[in-house]
Amino acid sequence: MTAPRPAVSYREPSFLPLTVSTASTVAPRTPVHAIATRVDAAAAECWTALLAGCDAAVRTRLPGRMRELAEATSVYAGPAWWNGDGACHQGRIDRARARIEEAVADRDGADFAEAFVGYDQAVATALVRVHNRLRSPR
C-alpha cells in the first residue's frame, strides 16, 4: 500500500500585493482595483516569460497596463491633487514604472521583481494618501 501524496498547492506570484489590497479597501468601486488586479496578473505572466527566456507578447502589454493603473489612480485622486500635492507620488510611480520597463527590455527577471516592490509601494501609498485626503474635513 502506498502512502498518500500530500496535495501540492500552487499560488500565482503577486507583484502588487499592497496595491491590490489597498485598492480593494479604499477604492473598491472604482476602476483602480480591477486595473490593479489586471496589472498584477500581467506582471506575473511577464516575469514567467522573462525567467523562461521567452519573447512573449505579454512583455509588450505590461507597460500599457501599468500606464492604465497610473491613469486610474490619477482619476481617483483628481487632477488638482495629482498634479499638485500628489505630483511627488506621480513621480515615484513613473520612476518605478520606467525601471520595470528597463528590466523588461534587458530581460532581467531579478531586477524586474525588485523594481515591482518600489512600484507596488508607490501606487499603494498614493492610494492611501488620496483616501485620507478625501476622508478628512477641509
Side-chain angles (χ1 to χ4, degrees):
M1 184 177 249
T2 313
R5 297 177 78 176
V8 176
S9 172
Y10 176 74
R11 199 176 88 174
E12 290 290 325
S14 179
F15 287 86
L16 294 176
L18 296 173
T19 298
V20 171
S21 176
T22 300
S24 71
T25 302
V26 303
R29 291 179 285 283
T30 69
V32 175
H33 182 256
I35 293 170
T37 301
R38 284 196 303 268
V39 172
D40 192 42
E45 290 174 7
C46 187
W47 185 65
T48 300
L50 289 171
L51 294 180
C54 298
D55 200 18
V58 71
R59 289 180 43 224
T60 60
R61 286 193 303 260
L62 181 61
R65 294 261 168 102
M66 290 189 310
R67 281 190 280 286
E68 287 176 21
L69 181 55
E71 177 63 27
T73 303
S74 75
V75 169
Y76 176 66
W81 184 82
W82 189 247
N83 295 311
D85 292 343
C88 62
H89 298 287
Q90 180 182 7
R92 285 182 63 212
I93 291 169
D94 289 345
R95 286 188 299 277
R97 187 182 71 230
R99 184 172 172 210
I100 291 166
E101 290 175 5
E102 183 178 325
V104 170
D106 293 346
R107 298 178 180 198
D108 186 340
D111 195 37
F112 175 88
E114 186 178 302
F116 250 100
V117 172
Y119 181 77
D120 185 31
Q121 184 178 21
V123 176
T125 300
L127 291 173
V128 168
R129 295 292 172 117
V130 170
H131 177 72
N132 290 342
R133 180 185 61 85
L134 294 173
R135 292 193 49 171
S136 68
R138 304 222 177 233

